[in-house]
Each structure stands twice: as structure tokens, then as C-alpha cells.
Amino acid sequence: MGAKVRHYFAHSRSDRPCSSGAETGIHLAAKQLIADRLAIPVPTLIAIVEAPDSRGHVLSVSKKLYPGADRYPVLDAMLEVGLVDIRPDLIVTLGGVKILIEVAVTHYVDEEKKRRLEERGLRCIEISLGHVDRTLTLEVLEHELYNQNNASWIVNPRLDEVRPLLEQQLAKQVAQANERIRRADEVLARERQRQIEAAIRLEQEREAAAERRAAERERREEEARRLREQEAKEASARWKARLEFERAMEAKRIEEAQMLWATQRDAQDLEGMEAQARQLLADCDQLSAQVSATTTLPLRLALPQLQRTVRRKMSRLDIDAPPLALTCEIPGEWVFGITSIEWKFGLFLDAVYNPEELTRFRQWRSLVDLTESARVLGLKEVPLLSEARELLERARYYQLLEALPAVASLKALPDARQAVMEFIGHLASYNMVEFVPRSADDFTYRAVPSNLWAVPPFHSD
């Protein structure tokens, strides 16, 4: 099979300098296509005249002289024919009229050349190809060449021929528009005068109405003042009478409350309260002994959340047993009713020694954070402590603490907040956390890496 060849534009192979060979090739090829096809693109020819009316609105009158076409046949086409000081790219004959054709790739018709064309009464069409790709094929060039949107009239004497008629029509339209504007201005002026007069009358009526309202207002204010004085006197008398009545009722209520309180206090079962307090203390002691009996982490933890959290975090930290410090006894460690090592280790792994705290060594935390961790883990105070506090409150209300030593002893029972604070303080004594008390019932702390602890971090039985 032979090689395939297509038409293309290339620079000359001679030694002459060629700074715009592609543009020259397109220019020459376009002229040759017109000469070969004997057809040109003809743009639409429209004559337009414009003028403003008295308000500056621009009016226009136009007339389409020729509809235009992408490809219109011509009788002949002559290349590079000189006309004294004008040398067009082509001269074609269309309907017995000579038309000059300019093909613009990089150079377009300037004002001077346009002036010379107008002085001679010539017709000239410019075809713009400056936007086409410089490596286009002959087929693409022909498509762009025969597109009337790329062509425009530079000069055409027909425009000057129809201009006087269009100017007459435009002058008539401008005159009619100015007349309408004049009449509208007169109507507007009359309406404005009417509005001014109406506004003056309305203002006079408003002033008169304002004077009447002012007089009526003064009369009503005087009546209201006399009425307020009368009401104030009556209200003062009623207030004094009510105040005396309320004082008497308050004195009676206080007396009745004191009598009721004394009756209720006398009716208290002191022996029953004392027995209940002793039983609560005994139950708390028994629970404390049960909780403190185990120092190793059981296989089955009491709370489901502890079961999941402790085992999972132990596996992530690759440890087998709790730190030695967590097995030491602290005051109130039985408050949650489960083996103390369970809640200590669960809280330790959740809020002290976990990957997040180890990577954020400078992160300070507070009692609020510990309390939230305890809540998430499911740690709750045993009901015994709630019963003890309720009994204490009842004894305080009736002022029976001095008379019931066993009830007074309930004040020594711990609560969850005290147990957690003791736990963090105990860790601080082993240098496992930095501990900073802020008040009697609050503190901040942050974890310390295990290599800085005061005792071996982990042990196993």
C-alpha cells in the first residue's frame, strides 16, 4: 500500500527568512480557494442610524439591504489587482458589481485604507481567519472561509444611499418621542402641583387635629391624675390592712410549725434510728472486708463494661496483671460494691494509663473527667451509702446527732468522690501521676510514663 498524503501548509524550503510562514500559507490558500471555487461569503448588509431623544434614550432605524450567504457564486475572481494606491487580495464580480475581497490572518484593514475605499465609492468585504489553527487542513480552511460570520463589510456605497431616507424616518420617530415626553412632562408637572396643594391642605388638617388631640389629652391626663391620687390612697389603706393580716398569719404559721416540729421530734424512734445506724455501719464494714479480700484481678469481672474495657486494653498494652500500687488498700475502696482491684484497674486503664494519655503526657485532666469515666464504666455507689446519708439528713433536721452517737458515726463513711480522690492521690505517691489539689474537693492530674514510676510498674502472682 502506498503512503497517504493530505493537503497541509508548510514553510518554504528556500533560505529566505520566514517569520510567519503559516499565516502566509493560509492567506495564499484562502485567496486561491476563492479563485478556484468562484464563490465568496457575503455578510448581511444592514444600514442603521441612531439618535437620542430629549431624555437621552437612543432610538434607531435599520434596514436590511442584503440577507447574506455563506457561499455566493461570483462571475470572476482576480488576484492582487492594483487600483492606484489600493491593492486588494481579490476583486470579484457579483451581479455586475465589482467587490474587493481582503483576507485577514494577522493584518486587518486599517482606518486609512477604509477612508480611501470610501472616497472611491468601492465595495469591500474582509474575511477574518486570524482565529484559525495554523496547522489546519484544506477542508477545515474552506469551512472557515465560507462562513458569513467570519466576513464583514468594510465599505459599501449602498449604506450612504439609504442613510438619508433612514435619517428622515429616525427624525420623525425622535420628534414623536420628544412630543410624547413633552406631554408627559406637562402631565407630571400638573400632578406634582396637585400633590403639593393636597399636601398643604393635609398638613393644615393635621395641625388642627393635633391641637384638638392635645386639648383632649390634657383633659384626660387631669382626670387620670385625680383618679390615681384617689386609687393611691385606697391602695395604701388596703396595703396596710393586708400587711397587718399577713404578719399575724406568719406569726401563727411559725408558731404552728414550731409546735409541729417539736411534736415530730418527740415522735422520732430514737432507738430505731440508733439500731438502723449500727446496722448500716456493720453492713458497710462487712462489705469493706469482702471488697478488700481480693488483691488480684478476677477472671470474671462484676460489670459488663469493665469486662470489655479491662480485657481489651490489657491486650493492647500487653500486660498480664495490675500495677503493684493498685493492689494496696486505700480508704473507702469498697464504695462501688465490687472488688476494689476491679474498679481501680478499670479506671486506671480508662482515664490514666491508656495510649491516648501516654501520647499526650502534658495533658491535664480533672475530677470531672474521672467521674465521667466512672459513669461510662458503670461504677455506682452502693445503696448503703445513700441510706446512711438519708438517715444523717433526718437526724440533722431534728437536731439528734448529739443524742445518737451511732448516727453521728455515719459521717465518717466515704463517698465515690472521696474514694476516687484517694485513688489518684495514692497513684501520685507512687509517681504514677502528677497530682495538683485545687480545693478541698477538686484536683487536676496528668499521667506519668511508666519508666518514671517509683515502683516496678507491673507484677504477677
Side-chain angles (χ1 to χ4, degrees):
M1 295 177 64
K4 294 183 179 180
V5 180
R6 67 171 184 173
H7 294 288
Y8 65 95
F9 305 111
H11 289 227
S12 172
R13 295 186 179 181
S14 65
D15 296 332
R16 293 177 298 170
C18 181
S19 61
S20 58
E23 289 83 356
T24 302
I26 293 173
H27 187 265
L28 294 175
K31 292 193 297 182
Q32 192 61 48
L33 277 173
I34 294 174
D36 293 343
R37 304 292 190 268
L38 287 180
I40 61 171
V42 179
T44 302
L45 182 62
I46 300 177
I48 301 176
V49 292
E50 297 178 339
D53 59 17
S54 59
R55 289 187 176 173
H57 299 150
V58 178
L59 305 178
S60 65
V61 176
S62 63
K63 181 178 182 180
K64 182 183 288 188
L65 304 178
Y66 190 79
D70 289 334
R71 187 188 294 261
Y72 205 97
V74 296
L75 294 179
D76 55 26
M78 297 178 290
L79 296 168
E80 302 289 347
V81 178
L83 300 176
V84 187
D85 58 344
I86 299 175
R87 190 177 185 84
D89 291 332
L90 298 100
I91 298 179
V92 300
T93 302
L94 176 62
V97 178
K98 300 294 183 181
I99 299 177
L100 281 63
I101 304 298
E102 292 287 350
V103 179
V105 179
T106 57
H107 298 88
Y108 292 79
V109 175
D110 57 20
E111 291 298 324
E112 177 58 27
K113 188 171 185 178
K114 180 179 179 181
R115 183 186 60 78
R116 294 199 298 268
L117 292 170
E118 289 176 342
E119 288 177 352
R120 299 187 182 187
L122 299 174
R123 291 171 172 81
C124 180
I125 294 175
E126 183 178 65
I127 303 172
S128 174
L129 298 177
H131 63 282
V132 300
D133 189 350
R134 299 303 188 254
T135 61
L136 80 171
T137 62
L138 189 61
E139 291 77 6
V140 175
L141 176 61
E142 185 171 359
H143 174 76
E144 294 292 334
L145 178 66
Y146 289 107
N147 182 350
Q148 66 169 317
N149 293 326
N150 295 331
S152 60
W153 285 100
I154 301 302
V155 292
N156 193 317
R158 285 292 309 280
L159 297 175
D160 295 332
E161 293 174 3
V162 301
R163 185 179 298 277
L165 179 60
L166 295 180
E167 289 178 346
Q168 292 178 4
Q169 296 176 5
L170 180 61
K172 184 177 179 181
Q173 291 186 12
V174 171
Q176 293 173 349
N178 290 339
E179 178 61 21
R180 289 194 298 272
I181 292 171
R182 185 190 63 78
R183 290 197 296 269
D185 289 343
E186 290 179 354
V187 172
L188 181 61
R190 289 195 297 270
E191 177 62 20
R192 286 178 178 172
Q193 182 61 32
R194 185 193 66 78
Q195 292 178 357
I196 291 173
E197 294 173 355
I200 293 174
R201 290 194 300 271
L202 181 60
E203 184 62 25
Q204 292 172 347
E205 293 173 358
R206 287 177 178 173
E207 292 177 355
E211 292 177 357
R212 291 192 298 271
R213 288 194 299 271
E216 179 64 18
R217 185 169 56 251
E218 290 180 0
R219 183 187 64 78
R220 289 198 301 269
E221 288 177 353
E222 180 62 23
E223 291 180 356
R225 184 186 62 78
R226 291 196 298 268
L227 181 61
R228 286 195 299 272
E229 290 178 353
Q230 180 64 28
E231 290 177 348
K233 292 179 181 179
E234 295 175 356
S236 177
R238 289 195 301 270
W239 178 79
K240 290 179 180 179
R242 183 176 181 80
L243 183 60
E244 292 298 327
F245 175 76
E246 289 179 351
R247 286 175 178 172
M249 293 300 295
E250 180 64 17
K252 182 178 180 181
R253 186 190 65 79
I254 293 174
E255 182 180 358
E256 291 176 351
Q258 290 176 345
M259 292 175 62
L260 177 61
W261 180 84
T263 303
Q264 290 176 345
R265 186 180 188 280
D266 294 339
Q268 290 298 312
D269 182 5
L270 301 185
E271 293 182 0
M273 292 177 66
E274 185 81 11
Q276 183 182 359
R278 283 196 293 269
Q279 183 61 46
L280 285 172
L281 290 171
D283 292 342
C284 289
D285 290 340
Q286 182 180 359
L287 182 58
S288 174
Q290 293 173 355
V291 168
S292 303
T294 303
T295 58
T296 59
L297 192 65
L299 295 177
R300 183 65 180 176
L301 302 182
L303 300 177
Q305 184 62 22
L306 279 176
Q307 180 73 27
R308 291 190 295 270
T309 302
V310 170
R311 299 302 183 194
R312 175 171 50 82
K313 292 193 175 181
M314 283 180 64
S315 63
R316 289 176 58 191
L317 295 175
D318 193 21
I319 61 176
D320 298 324
L324 180 61
L326 271 64
T327 63
C328 299
E329 183 179 356
I330 63 170
E333 61 184 9
W334 53 271
V335 293
F336 297 115
I338 60 175
T339 304
S340 62
I341 193 63
E342 294 186 36
W343 72 262
K344 290 179 186 177
F345 198 34
L347 204 58
F348 176 75
L349 291 177
D350 192 71
V352 179
Y353 191 72
N354 59 45
E356 181 182 358
E357 294 301 322
L358 293 177
T359 56
R360 297 188 303 168
F361 174 54
R362 308 307 299 175
Q363 179 75 23
W364 286 95
R365 304 191 71 180
S366 67
L367 179 60
V368 175
D369 301 316
L370 276 172
T371 304
E372 178 62 18
S373 294
R375 184 191 66 79
V376 172
L377 293 173
L379 300 177
K380 297 180 180 179
E381 281 188 341
V382 294
L384 291 175
L385 294 174
S386 299
E387 294 177 20
R389 279 193 285 270
E390 182 179 351
L391 186 57
L392 270 173
E393 287 300 319
R394 189 149 53 97
R396 286 193 186 96
Y397 177 76
Y398 292 114
Q399 300 175 3
L400 298 173
L401 287 178
E402 296 78 4
L404 303 172
V407 176
S409 299
L410 298 178
K411 292 189 292 183
L413 292 177
D415 59 21
R417 178 183 290 263
Q418 291 173 341
V420 170
M421 291 184 67
E422 289 287 348
F423 173 57
I424 294 299
H426 187 69
L427 295 182
S429 66
Y430 280 81
N431 200 36
M432 299 172 73
V433 297
E434 290 187 47
F435 176 73
V436 180
R438 295 194 299 189
S439 63
D441 58 350
D442 197 7
F443 62 89
T444 58
Y445 74 96
R446 61 183 176 184
V448 174
S450 59
N451 61 336
L452 300 179
W453 292 355
V455 296
F458 302 106
H459 76 284
S460 59
D461 293 335

